[in-house]
Amino acid sequence: MMERMSLLGYAVCGIGLESDALPFDVGGIDRDAMPAGLRRRASEATQLAFSAAARACREAARSPAALPSVFASVGGEMQVTDQLCIELAKPEGLVSPTAFHNSVHNTAAGYWTIVHGCPEPATALAAGHDTFALGLLEAWCQLSCNGGELLVVCYDERWPGYLAPPLGRVAVASAMVLAAGDVPEALAHLGKPCPIGASGNRAEFSNLLETAPAAWALPLLQSAALGEAGPVALSGNGWVGDLLLATSAAA
Amino acid sequence: MIEPVAITAYTCISAAGDGVEALWQALVDNRCRLSSLKLFELPFETVVGAVKTPLPEVSERLAAYGCRNARLALKALNQDGFRARVEEAMDRYQRERVGLVLGTSTSGIYDSEAVYTRFLETGTMPSDFHFMRRHAAQATAEFLALELGLAGPSYAISTACSSSAKALAAGQRLISAGVCDAVLVAGVDTLCRLTLRGFHSLELIDPQPCRPMDSSRRGINIGEGAGMLLLERRAAANAGAPFLLAVGESSDAHHMSAPHPDGAGAARAMAMALERAGVSPESVDYINLHATATPLNDQSEARAVTQMFPKPPPCSGVKGLLGHTLGAAGAVEAVVSLLALERGLLPGTCGFRELGVDSALPVLGDPQAGARPRHVLSNAFGFGGNNASVLLRSGGA
């Protein structure tokens, strides 16, 4: 049974994200993360997911083509879906083929595998306010059962204000390259995500986390960057992960 | 290799009717259950696989979750004694050790579509509309978990038409990784304007009942349905239950809405399922095809199967009976495959007359009775080139 997974690289990208207090750089949309032709059609959600995923792979020096992926998002392609719902409410509303296939929850995951020629499995999941925690749990289960390495991306774009206030005010994507077990080059190690109920730390993020469930990577990545070992909240509903520092990071 | 898990209960609602006996009768009869759409108007002709029996209201306590998708899920939960089996599992293990993985493509969007009509008229969303509890991908999973009092991990997989096949994979991993002792895997998707008009815009809808793998196939019919399976850690008490051996998953890396023409990704998913289970291709006795009846999908899948299987076993697809239940298809067709395994009938392919693909696929037009399949593969492929192939084995030694 796997006891921990290793963090090989990570990145955070966002729009409207206050990042001055963070001990790592937060990027915006990276125009080079996807081909120009696709970028013109891709949503904010997919562009941000790509931006963080590409940077995390670079940080970890891993090829995107070789990694299975887990894409976790509360609302997925919320803006496209909203526009389609508006069209469907009109008597002569138009549903374009591209808008339709770009409305599925796994749009970012699908394009990621297409752009990188990646034959590995890509999944897309949602778990409301626990989306980051359960994306990480899905990553844990895949690594525990299959071994190897994978990419986990958690993202949400800005949502129309009338849909789920106060959620969706900030667009944010985090990405991590993880490996099964202890890997010597790891930046940090993570124990199994558990729903044990001891959260409440990271008060400095509380406003952000209440409006952007996808931002729950920030407390974990902050702890990793600052070298603070111990339990870290992964959601507001009690999901916690145990952060263990790699020897080199602790030194 | 991954640890096999027991499938200790299952149920299904579809155009065939309520419960596994209705589904079984449809498989025996192999008579099309598709009909004209009554739920809303469409600007084109087609038939759909609708659930025609009444759907229950959700309880007052969970009224915010009430939508067609949640109501269909509740109906499935309450039939075939399925709910009691889940509750027994919650008693047998701890509530925290029972998880829930839902596969869905559009969740509660059918109800949102109606809300948007009012939104366009008035400029404000109705105060009782709760996006997170009705329309978000996880809404029906959250509803089921609250309805049952499950306390284990609960989430939704939404990878278009492979959603609930991949939910089976996630459920097996939760048990195999030691996170859960039992997992309720549900595939639930309901008819809505978005999928019907979306597939129409892609020119993939057949105005007539569809004809999977047939030379005259023209496209799909959309269906709705709910399939539910209870996965449990293997134990002496469930030794007679059928097993989920493994799920193979892959990406086509080709196109958002068209499969790779050679079926390379689909073949890879089937190969991975067999490899993870340590089962040889010769041991597979029947393949439940994805077989959507679009010209490209069926051709691609036929090439994938003949690539993987030098001598393919009997194959068939049920979408001519039930329609394509989209995100629910993986779970619904896992139940079809379990009926094949447990009752020894290989389903037919309703609407099929003459093979219309360039690979020598042994497609069953009529059901084949008296079979004794031991290993069955069930395929589900979705937008984004997202493939999953579910390998099941009959119970007993």
Side-chain angles (χ1 to χ4, degrees):
Chain A
M1 201 67 80
M2 187 172 80
E3 286 178 5
R4 61 183 66 174
M5 53 188 179
S6 297
L7 177 64
L8 303 183
Y10 63 88
V12 176
C13 295
I15 299 170
L17 200 61
E18 301 290 333
S19 58
D20 297 349
L22 288 169
F24 52 83
D25 167 49
V26 172
I29 286 176
D30 174 3
R31 292 172 58 81
D32 297 329
M34 63 171 64
L38 173 60
R39 195 174 63 239
R40 281 191 289 274
R41 299 194 307 273
S43 67
E44 184 175 280
T46 292
Q47 291 194 47
L48 271 176
F50 262 67
S51 301
R55 264 182 63 189
C57 289
R58 224 167 28 239
E59 295 291 324
R62 293 296 188 274
S63 163
L67 297 172
S69 54
V70 175
F71 283 76
S73 177
V74 183
E77 300 295 319
M78 191 77 141
Q79 294 180 23
V80 178
T81 306
D82 172 60
Q83 281 303 310
L84 284 167
C85 284
I86 288 171
E87 287 299 315
L88 290 165
K90 299 174 187 168
E92 304 299 328
L94 295 174
V95 176
S96 85
T98 306
F100 175 54
H101 72 55
N102 280 359
S103 74
V104 293
H105 198 86
N106 64 318
T107 296
Y111 279 129
W112 177 259
T113 59
I114 292 165
V115 164
H116 294 290
C118 174
E120 298 297 326
T123 203
L125 65 87
H129 290 270
D130 294 334
T131 295
F132 174 69
L134 289 177
L136 213 51
L137 183 71
E138 168 74 23
W140 173 276
C141 290
Q142 288 197 19
L143 291 172
S144 175
C145 294
N146 307 336
E149 300 175 351
L150 59 69
L151 168 71
V152 57
V153 187
C154 184
Y155 65 99
D156 267 295
E157 63 189 354
R158 285 170 293 190
W159 299 353
Y162 48 79
L163 271 180
L167 298 177
R169 283 193 195 145
V170 172
V172 58
S174 65
M176 291 185 266
V177 177
L178 299 167
D182 280 333
V183 173
E185 69 206 269
L187 304 172
H189 302 292
L190 281 168
K192 180 165 73 180
C194 291
I196 59 168
S199 61
N201 53 353
R202 301 303 169 197
E204 70 265 37
F205 294 119
S206 61
N207 284 341
L208 172 66
L209 298 174
E210 279 164 25
T211 58
W216 271 100
L218 292 178
L220 171 66
L221 294 177
Q222 185 185 48
S223 292
L226 293 175
E228 297 171 353
V232 182
L234 304 176
S235 86
N237 296 331
W239 283 89
V240 170
D242 210 13
L243 183 71
L244 307 129
L245 297 174
T247 322
S248 55
Chain B
M1 297 285 278
I2 186 166
E3 189 184 319
V5 291
I7 302 170
T8 55
Y10 54 88
T11 186
C12 180
I13 299 181
S14 67
D18 303 347
V20 292
E21 291 310 322
L23 180 62
W24 171 247
Q25 198 55 52
L27 296 176
V28 170
D29 297 346
N30 201 34
R31 187 172 52 78
C32 177
R33 305 303 168 104
L34 305 169
S35 57
S36 58
L37 179 65
K38 302 283 195 298
L39 274 179
F40 49 86
E41 298 281 318
L42 277 182
F44 54 90
E45 290 292 309
T46 187
V47 290
V48 295
V51 173
K52 297 192 189 72
T53 50
L55 302 182
E57 292 293 343
V58 306
S59 68
E60 206 169 312
R61 176 176 71 98
L62 299 175
Y65 293 89
C67 65
R68 187 170 177 82
N69 219 57
R71 294 169 67 198
L72 183 61
L74 179 61
K75 187 179 170 92
L77 180 69
N78 287 336
Q79 69 183 15
D80 286 333
F82 188 82
R83 183 185 189 121
R85 302 299 292 275
V86 178
E87 287 170 348
E88 282 161 29
M90 287 162 58
D91 289 343
R92 194 157 52 250
Y93 312 109
Q94 295 167 337
R95 285 187 329 130
E96 292 74 19
R97 299 282 298 171
V98 181
L100 195 160
V101 189
L102 172 82
T104 187
S105 64
T106 53
S107 188
I109 197 172
Y110 168 70
D111 295 71
S112 290
E113 290 166 353
V115 166
Y116 267 81
T117 308
R118 281 195 282 156
F119 173 61
L120 286 197
E121 285 163 10
T122 64
T124 51
M125 279 289 170
S127 58
D128 64 344
F129 174 71
H130 200 306
F131 177 87
M132 290 291 279
R133 291 177 178 166
R134 280 202 211 163
H135 180 153
Q138 198 228 344
T140 299
E142 197 173 311
F143 163 71
L144 283 171
L146 289 169
E147 173 70 20
L148 283 160
L150 284 177
S154 163
Y155 58 109
I157 304 264
S158 190
T159 53
C161 306
S162 59
S163 298
S164 52
K166 286 178 75 95
L168 283 165
Q172 181 181 21
R173 283 191 293 261
L174 283 168
I175 295 172
S176 195
V179 175
C180 294
D181 294 314
V183 178
L184 165 56
V185 176
V188 188
D189 246 325
T190 28
L191 290 169
C192 62
R193 296 160 186 85
L194 176 69
T195 50
L196 273 150
R197 291 183 54 182
F199 277 106
H200 178 68
S201 78
L202 288 165
E203 300 180 349
L204 293 177
I205 298 257
D206 193 330
Q208 301 296 320
C210 67
R211 286 150 288 173
M213 291 291 166
D214 189 77
S215 57
S216 66
R217 69 187 183 279
R218 292 172 57 184
I220 66 175
N221 308 130
I222 308 282
E224 62 185 345
M228 291 190 181
L229 302 95
L230 181 62
L231 310 183
E232 287 188 60
R233 184 176 297 289
R234 281 178 75 181
N238 59 41
F243 302 127
L244 170 59
L245 287 183
V247 182
E249 298 169 81
S250 73
S251 298
D252 269 8
H254 175 66
H255 191 271
M256 268 311 281
S257 57
H260 192 286
D262 295 339
R268 192 180 155 92
M270 289 186 272
M272 190 188 286
L274 295 176
E275 186 189 320
R276 291 223 166 117
V279 167
S280 69
E282 299 78 48
S283 303
V284 175
D285 304 301
Y286 164 68
I287 302 175
N288 167 258
L289 299 168
H290 189 53
T292 61
T294 71
L296 284 176
N297 283 332
D298 287 5
Q299 178 62 69
S300 162
E301 186 174 18
R303 285 183 185 158
V305 171
T306 49
Q307 238 180 82
M308 256 310 295
F309 296 88
K311 284 180 62 182
C315 303
S316 63
V318 297
K319 291 182 175 70
L321 273 181
L322 311 176
H324 186 348
T325 56
L326 305 179
V332 166
E333 296 184 30
V335 173
V336 167
S337 301
L338 287 166
L339 288 174
L341 276 175
E342 297 217 285
R343 303 188 184 188
L345 178 110
L346 306 185
T349 308
C350 187
F352 174 83
R353 284 166 304 192
E354 178 195 39
L355 191 66
V357 291
D358 68 8
S359 305
L361 203 64
V363 174
L364 295 172
D366 296 320
Q368 186 179 309
R372 297 180 65 87
R374 183 149 171 75
H375 292 103
V376 167
L377 262 183
S378 182
N379 287 338
F381 309 135
F383 277 4
N386 198 296
N387 309 306
S389 188
V390 179
L391 181 62
L392 303 166
R393 199 180 85 182
S394 54

